[in-house]
Amino acid sequence: MKRNRMRARDNKGASLFLSIVLVFCVFGTVVFFVAQRISKEMSSSAIHNLSESLGLIKGTVEAILIKEAEFQKLIAQEISTIEDQEAFIRSYKKNRTMVKISLIQSGEKEGVSNTEDVFTEDGLDFSSGRTVEDLPISQSYLNGMGTWAYTMKCPVVREEEEIATLYVEYIFDSFDQSLPGGFYNGRAMLYIMDAKSERLVLKPKGIGQRDAGHLNLEDFYRANNILDKELQADVSEHIRSGKNIMFYHDIRGQSSLIYMWAVNDGSLYLIGYVPIEAIQQEGKIVNQNLILVVAVMLAAFFICCILYYFNQKEQVKLREEREAEREIHNKQLAEALQAAQIASQSKTTFLSNMSHDIRTPMNAILGFTSLLAKDADNPVKVREYTRKITASGQHLLSLINDVLDVSKIESGKVVLTIGEFTLSSLVASVDAIIRPMAKAKNQDFDVSVTDIKHEYLVGDETRINQILINLLSNAVKYTPDGGKIWFRIIGLKQHSAQYEHIRIEVEDNGYGMTPEYLKIIFDAFTRAENSTTNKVQGTGLGMAITKNIVELMGGTIEVASEVGKGSKFVVELELRIPDNQGDEEFWARQGISRILAVDDDPDIRNTIQLLMKETKVRTDTAASGEEALRLIQNAAQTGENYHVILLDWKMPGMDGFETANRIRENETEPVMILFLTAYDGDELEDEIAHIGHAGVLSKPFFVSAFKEKITKMRTAQGDERELPGEEKENSLTGLHFLVAEDNEINAEILSELLDMEGASCEIVENGRLAVERFDRSLPGEFDAILMDVQMPVMNGYDATRAIRKLGREDAGEILIVAMTANAFTEDVKAALDAGMNAHVAKPIDLELLKRTISQRIGRKEES
């Protein structure tokens, strides 16, 4: 019985083995025949795919040609609308496709080119009659760069009349990026051939290895042993008729398929070959894969066993790796905790410094306020206490602005407010702030402007002013009493005619900085600390803000310093030059066409000539008083007298004072004399009073300041050729305002300030009351509305929108000025978007408010 079971088991095992062998034999036979069929079909499909690929390449090349032709037509259309066509051609920059663009006017043989040479059609062969989008295309040629190229020409038509012909040279190398990287794993060969000359003008990168001698079709035949004359004749016939052709040929012992594919109606040809083995390679790969599948099935069982073993081993390895990762993660958490503790300590230190820095001016404000109440009957002390309260308040405001500024910059929310400004106003505003600070410490503050060609520029004046104040105030703070500070603005070589390239240098001979601190000077919340500088107050944000603003403007900032010798900051900016800077009408109106500038410093003389160049006023210069007298005498003899003389106050030899006296002794009609001085001009006014028709002009020289001085002197003498001065224009006398302000103290301050200016106001507590009061008012009762933004019941934005929607004729015209402590760019935009006309930040700067209201009301009256 047992023997029978064993025999049955053996028979069953043999039957199972035979069955498995039979199944695999049948499977192998099926796989063999399927492989043979797939191989044939894959070969046929590969040839078809090759044809489709060549068709795609052909379509790509033709699409490039068509786009080039269409773009050339657009350029020709644009040229037809331009008066100075030759200037347009010369200024056109070449690119990777269009390497040369030329224009020949109708009826002429020669023309211009963007390569600055004379262009003729000689040397270009358009005889083939081939076109792209109706534009003739030339035979291919080697251009001046040694690259195969071709030219298309296009008529330039204006009002249905051909006025010129536009020629554009294109290079075949530009096709390379649009063509495929290779055929059949790089075993196929592909060239682009010019049909007429049979020259091979391009071999796309990555498609086969180029053999020596493949320069034209004949070389292609010779290199690949295609010597059958009948075959060559058949190929030539197909090329002449612009037809495609494929044929088999042995190339270096390999049976290959040679193809010649027409492009653009046969003006170009794609020629090359691919080995038959490469075409059939895909079929072989499929067959090999089928065999591989069979082998894999046989080995699958054994592999599964092996995989199970290795899987168990891998599980142990993974557990070990997770333990290692857990240790690394714990280490990273410890490092992160340490970094967080360091950051927390830095913030604690910063808050400690800020607490001290903010409390210092705050204590001063509160202390002087108490003294002000005590000595209210003493005008001298009241003025002194008020001045100190104002100074402390401004310092406190600057500390707060530093913190707010750096948070805005780091969050990426800062937006530059671009507008036109003058260097003179920029330098004057900086000088007005820094010079008193330097004077209080008995420091020498030297300001110079050299090689600047344009005084009027376009940029964010407020941010540039912030950069300068940060750098210069630091120079004053970190320079001991009696030290020296230099502030220089230097014009550099322009990279573009539309931009003024300037360098700003701030240098001092103060305490200097250590090499270690120089590495972190532009980091936030850092300050140089030593026994000398610890008394200097600040947030440690000034340099971080300065660097961020400079980089936001696309500029650079560098610093060099040495302990005990001082520091030097260098900022480079490029600022756009506005159009039409010269005000020729002003000088003609003033009757000024010739001036003389006398200064022993050649840089100053050169700067005056550069800045006066656009005014069309002839500017002569002299280096000394003696030379100036000779020029004035010569001008008198020729009848071309000077209308204004600029005299340096301090010159070696004959100084400005003596030169002016000599001029007055010899002249028949007094000429206006302006003394150039780097000192306080008010101190010199009394000394020059006896000279007559003379004034003081502060250095550095600026055209706008020069014009303002001439205007003031002419106005003082009763000359009405110029409009009244700014002070008169900015008067608020007689104006009546509606004020929306919920804070009683702010309302009282504003009311008193307006009363001091001769204006009156009516105050309401919120936006809704402002809307209702304006709706009840008579036309013209209020000259403007001063609107706070954050108010109860209805805020300033909603109140402004409600006023603009009222059915009154003056609802859309009444001047509405936002008054708010929100002073960032987005706040200004929000006010304007709500319908307000202007924005003035709190605390209110009365002069700014006067200027804003006067300018708006003045423009309204003119219109």
Side-chain angles (χ1 to χ4, degrees), residues 41-79:
E41 290 180 354
M42 290 292 289
S43 297
S44 176
S45 177
I47 295 174
H48 179 70
N49 290 340
L50 174 62
S51 300
E52 289 184 345
S53 298
L54 292 173
L56 289 174
I57 296 175
K58 168 188 173 182
T60 300
V61 174
E62 290 179 345
I64 293 173
L65 293 172
I66 290 172
K67 286 184 178 180
E68 289 173 347
E70 291 175 347
F71 188 63
Q72 187 166 342
K73 288 180 180 179
L74 290 175
I75 297 176
Q77 183 178 358
E78 182 179 358
I79 291 175

Side-chain angles (χ1 to χ4, degrees), residues 317-606:
K317 184 180 178 181
L318 287 174
R319 282 194 294 270
E320 293 175 351
E321 288 179 352
R322 280 196 291 267
E323 290 296 329
E325 288 179 359
R326 189 175 293 109
E327 292 180 3
I328 294 173
H329 184 62
N330 291 336
K331 183 179 179 181
Q332 290 175 342
L333 287 176
E335 292 174 351
L337 177 61
Q338 184 180 4
Q341 290 172 343
I342 293 173
S344 177
Q345 184 178 359
S346 299
K347 290 183 178 179
T348 301
T349 303
F350 166 70
L351 291 174
S352 176
N353 290 338
M354 281 297 299
S355 175
H356 170 266
D357 290 346
I358 289 178
R359 286 175 184 275
T360 300
M362 181 59 73
N363 290 338
I365 293 172
L366 295 176
F368 284 119
T369 302
S370 299
L371 293 175
L372 187 63
K374 180 180 178 181
D375 296 322
D377 297 331
N378 189 332
V380 176
K381 289 189 175 182
V382 166
R383 282 193 292 270
E384 179 65 17
Y385 296 156
T386 305
R387 183 182 65 80
K388 292 180 178 180
I389 290 172
T390 301
S392 297
Q394 291 294 338
H395 178 61
L396 179 61
L397 184 61
S398 69
L399 295 177
I400 295 171
N401 284 339
D402 276 353
V403 177
L404 296 178
D405 257 358
V406 79
S407 65
K408 300 288 286 186
I409 292 171
E410 288 180 345
S411 64
K413 295 181 180 179
V414 168
V415 179
L416 296 178
T417 304
I418 304 300
E420 186 173 331
F421 69 94
T422 63
L423 279 179
S424 61
S425 63
L426 181 69
V427 173
S429 63
V430 171
D431 186 86
I433 296 172
I434 300 301
R435 191 170 294 278
M437 295 170 59
K439 194 172 183 180
K441 297 183 68 174
N442 199 27
Q443 294 168 341
D444 186 4
F445 181 47
D446 181 72
V447 182
S448 65
V449 178
T450 55
D451 297 330
I452 294 294
K453 301 178 182 64
H454 303 89
E455 176 186 349
Y456 293 86
L457 300 171
V458 175
D460 191 333
E461 181 181 11
T462 302
R463 292 296 179 183
I464 297 174
N465 186 282
Q466 188 176 0
I467 293 171
L468 298 179
I469 294 299
N470 278 340
L471 295 177
L472 288 167
S473 62
N474 276 350
V476 173
K477 291 176 185 177
Y478 294 103
T479 300
D481 291 2
K484 188 164 185 178
I485 298 165
W486 294 268
F487 170 35
R488 310 181 189 98
I489 298 181
I490 304 169
L492 302 179
K493 182 179 179 181
Q494 294 175 255
H495 296 145
S496 168
Q498 285 77 38
Y499 287 84
E500 182 81 24
H501 187 192
I502 65 172
R503 173 187 291 153
I504 300 169
E505 295 182 356
V506 174
E507 185 177 2
D508 63 70
N509 60 354
Y511 305 124
M513 293 173 281
T514 63
E516 293 77 17
Y517 180 66
L518 284 176
K519 296 178 182 179
I520 61 169
I521 184 174
F522 294 115
D523 294 343
F525 311 126
T526 59
R527 291 196 298 186
E529 294 190 1
N530 55 51
S531 59
T532 307
T533 63
N534 276 347
K535 295 181 180 179
V536 178
Q537 296 179 359
T539 60
L541 298 174
M543 288 299 98
I545 293 171
T546 298
K547 185 175 188 295
N548 284 328
I549 293 174
V550 169
E551 291 178 348
L552 191 64
M553 293 180 175
T556 61
I557 181 169
E558 297 176 354
V559 58
S561 183
E562 187 174 345
V563 175
K565 294 186 177 180
S567 305
K568 181 178 180 179
F569 288 84
V570 178
V571 176
E572 288 195 14
L573 296 171
E574 287 192 276
L575 300 172
R576 190 163 63 84
I577 302 167
D579 298 328
N580 302 323
Q581 290 198 54
D583 185 3
E584 298 180 30
E585 293 183 2
F586 172 84
W587 304 101
R589 198 162 53 240
Q590 296 293 334
I592 298 173
S593 60
R594 189 179 186 190
I595 68 172
L596 175 63
V598 187
D599 200 297
D600 61 302
D601 188 335
D603 289 336
I604 295 177
R605 298 198 302 272
N606 182 53

